[in-house]
Amino acid sequence: MSVEADTVSATAEAEARAVRDAAARARASQARRLMLAPWLCTIGFFLLWEVFCRVFGVSSYVLPAPSDILDATIAYWWPLLFHSFHTLWMTTAGFILAIVFGLVLGLALGASRFVHAGLYPLLVGFNAIPKVAVVPILVIWFGVGWPPAVLTAFMISFFPIVVNVATGLATIEPEVEDVLRALGARKLDIMLKVGVPRSLPYFFGSLKVAITLAYVGSVIAEYNASRNGIGNLMARASADFNVPLLFAALIALAVLGIMIYAVMAWLERRMTGWAQRSQFAA
């Protein structure tokens, strides 16, 4: 009996090990596919773009092929690199301001109904103003240079942060609040120990939206009120009808956006991995 029991146990253990190994191989295969997916989609997109331009004979003054954009990138690599770094630091500065201001104001709106009722309509009205209309005012106040770009990036990106942080605080269940108050917790304790962790997924989700908006704001200001930056380079390329350089600047801007977005997504996974339990979580 002991020999048969040992045989059954060894067989069961071998089957369990085989199942675990198969699951590990499946996870590794899925991870490789997920890593390859963005590269394959991007390469496929540019290949289709190239084929379309070559087959239909599209002029480079209308829609340059990726090969023409690559030639422009190589020819103008230093201006692209210089202006990209200029746009990067202005966008980052405005984005940091938006994080600080949006986090503080979002906590205030989420913690106080009076503050929410009083300030929220003003925030909605301010956000509805096209920021391109504010740039001339900023130029009058601060002159041409980096302040309009930083402030425009800040103004266009702080609203999603405010809304999402306030929403995260507002989603605390009344039952949880009642239980915590019954245990002697103050309103500040509930907000700091329950509300703030609860709002973190909303906060990091808003950062991924806000960073792309910050780039929009800085480029708008650079296009109209700066001597440097991707926006200024695009303005000069447009004036010279250098369409391949114009598209090269757009792609440089897209690369910068993807880089910062990837940093935000990494921080989100590190800080709020506990909230991403669904198989659909990005």
Side-chain angles (χ1 to χ4, degrees):
M1 288 294 293
S2 61
V3 175
E4 293 181 356
D6 291 341
T7 303
V8 172
S9 177
T11 303
E13 184 177 352
E15 291 177 351
R17 188 183 304 111
V19 171
R20 289 195 298 269
D21 292 342
R25 287 193 298 270
R27 288 193 298 269
S29 177
Q30 184 182 22
R32 286 193 296 269
R33 290 197 300 269
L34 291 175
M35 289 180 62
L36 289 174
W39 295 100
L40 293 176
C41 291
T42 303
I43 293 172
F45 171 75
F46 282 108
L47 284 176
L48 289 175
W49 184 352
E50 182 78 24
V51 169
F52 175 81
C53 292
R54 299 304 177 190
V55 170
F56 293 97
V58 180
S59 172
S60 61
Y61 289 100
V62 178
L63 179 65
S67 56
D68 297 327
I69 299 173
L70 179 61
D71 292 339
T73 302
I74 295 173
Y76 297 97
W77 70 271
W78 172 246
L80 285 168
L81 185 63
F82 172 79
H83 290 291
S84 294
F85 275 106
H86 191 274
T87 297
L88 177 62
W89 84 258
M90 285 193 293
T91 302
T92 303
F95 184 55
I96 292 173
L97 288 176
I99 291 175
V100 175
F101 183 80
L103 188 58
V104 172
L105 193 56
L107 290 174
L109 264 64
S112 172
R113 292 184 179 181
F114 178 80
V115 175
H116 188 282
L119 293 184
Y120 201 78
L122 294 176
L123 292 173
V124 172
F126 178 79
N127 190 62
I129 298 174
K131 300 308 177 285
V132 67
V134 182
V135 174
I137 300 175
L138 296 177
V139 173
I140 294 174
W141 288 349
F142 302 103
V144 174
W146 62 266
V150 172
L151 292 175
T152 306
F154 157 72
M155 289 188 298
I156 204 172
S157 61
F158 82 91
F159 187 74
I161 300 174
V162 173
V163 172
N164 280 272
V165 172
T167 301
L169 290 177
T171 56
I172 303 176
E173 293 85 351
E175 296 83 2
V176 174
E177 293 188 56
D178 293 338
V179 171
L180 292 175
R181 286 199 181 97
L183 294 175
R186 297 171 299 171
K187 184 175 182 179
L188 182 61
D189 296 328
I190 297 173
M191 186 183 74
L192 293 179
K193 296 181 180 180
V194 178
V196 172
R198 186 68 168 271
S199 65
L200 282 179
Y202 296 89
F203 172 64
F204 282 100
S206 69
L207 294 186
K208 294 190 291 186
V209 176
I211 186 58
T212 57
L213 296 176
Y215 273 107
V216 173
S218 60
V219 170
I220 288 174
E222 289 170 350
Y223 199 95
N224 295 279
S226 179
R227 300 183 182 90
N228 297 303
I230 289 293
N232 178 263
L233 182 64
M234 291 173 61
R236 287 188 283 171
S238 178
D240 295 336
F241 294 97
N242 193 342
V243 182
L245 177 58
L246 187 61
F247 273 82
L250 289 174
I251 291 177
L253 188 63
V255 171
L256 290 176
I258 291 172
M259 289 169 53
I260 302 298
Y261 183 94
V263 173
M264 295 298 106
W266 179 80
L267 286 174
E268 182 184 27
R269 289 194 299 270
R270 292 296 300 270
M271 299 294 292
T272 63
W274 51 269
Q276 299 180 6
R277 296 184 294 269
S278 170
Q279 62 176 331
F280 301 107

